[in-house]
Amino acid sequence: MTNLTAGTASASQPLAERSEVGSPAVGAPRLYLAALAIPVAAVALIAVGWSSHWGGVSFAAAMADQRVVVVGPMTLAVLAVILVVERVRPAQVRPLIARGHRQDALYAVLNATMVVPLVVALALSFAAVARRFLGWIVLPPLGFVPRWAVIVLIFVAMDGCNWLAHLANHRVRVLWRFHELHHSQEDMSVLTVFRTHPLIHVSYLIALIPGIVLMANGVVPTMLLVGYAGFVAFEHSNTNLGFGPLERMMVSPNYHRIHHQLDGPQDVNLGFALTIWDQVFHRAVFPTEATIRTDTGLPGRPLVVEQAHGRPHHLATLLGQLWGPFRPIDAVRAVDGGGDDGVGW
Ligand SMILES: [Zn+2]
Ligand SMILES: [Zn+2]
């Protein structure tokens, strides 16, 4: 998640995105039309999934599983513990109810209600389409491979696919338009994990492929996915915590904070759980004393943020942020006026 100093362009942002500050030019489109491709793709995929009865999988059962991952008792308990850890060992001192935390709590509610069914519909549809049209990718039962090894393999490959999708989020302009919301948070907390545009999940569907390829050999247990989600949430916490030598394997809060840094490239430290992908592709930047408390957010505030106004206006800001991907190319700053009350909490 990445940039340079305020007012300068981010090295990770697609080139054409860097100049989008100012008023719309006369005759310029009122909409970033390319962004419509994502909701159109989502609707088309879900239509195919729905018409094929979700590939024979129970939608209700899948919903129940996804709810356990996003807001199940274990997830909520983990979030509560991390909220305490953030108070005890903060990277940056923030009030408990900083406006950024309140905004991200809204995203948590949005995820628990509307995003869960959307993600389930997308995932079941993607799996149904893959099995129907790319049936050859599904391996037959491999009797000689133990089930635990299959689960480890799926898990590691899934994390690699998430890394790849995340890189695309930073390199492809239309995807960056949906991903920049996640990077716009200036008051990081564990709840920032929920601060994602609902439609960004389209780009992460490729992470389902390892599970589809090996589905005849094993399935990742829901509780392991709960652990994965909790771990990714923890990385976003406002916690001064590194993992020492273990950081060569696992993403820590100090490691992921560099991905959200205001003053520096954000297309580094793209890993979800494992740092190995960043190391293999030379995108790993390990924490130092200077990075632990670094500011986060996007230089120049290209997207409306809750810290920009004298009063936060959480709901209006939420709607503005969700509309963000579709705003015209050359009218970004007009959304929030570039204002800064100097407090922002
Ligand atoms: Zn992040
Ligand atoms: Zn990112």
Side-chain angles (χ1 to χ4, degrees), residues 105-129:
L106 269 182
Y107 280 103
V109 172
L110 186 72
N111 272 269
T113 53
M114 295 166 67
V115 178
V116 164
L118 173 67
V119 167
V120 169
L122 286 171
L124 293 186
S125 301
F126 182 83
V129 167

Side-chain angles (χ1 to χ4, degrees), residues 62-92:
M63 275 275 284
D65 274 355
Q66 185 66 16
R67 275 230 163 81
V68 166
V69 172
V70 178
V71 284
M74 189 65 83
T75 304
L76 293 179
V78 168
L79 292 181
V81 168
I82 299 171
L83 279 169
V84 173
V85 173
E86 282 184 328
R87 308 310 303 169
V88 174
R89 198 180 159 84
Q92 288 187 328

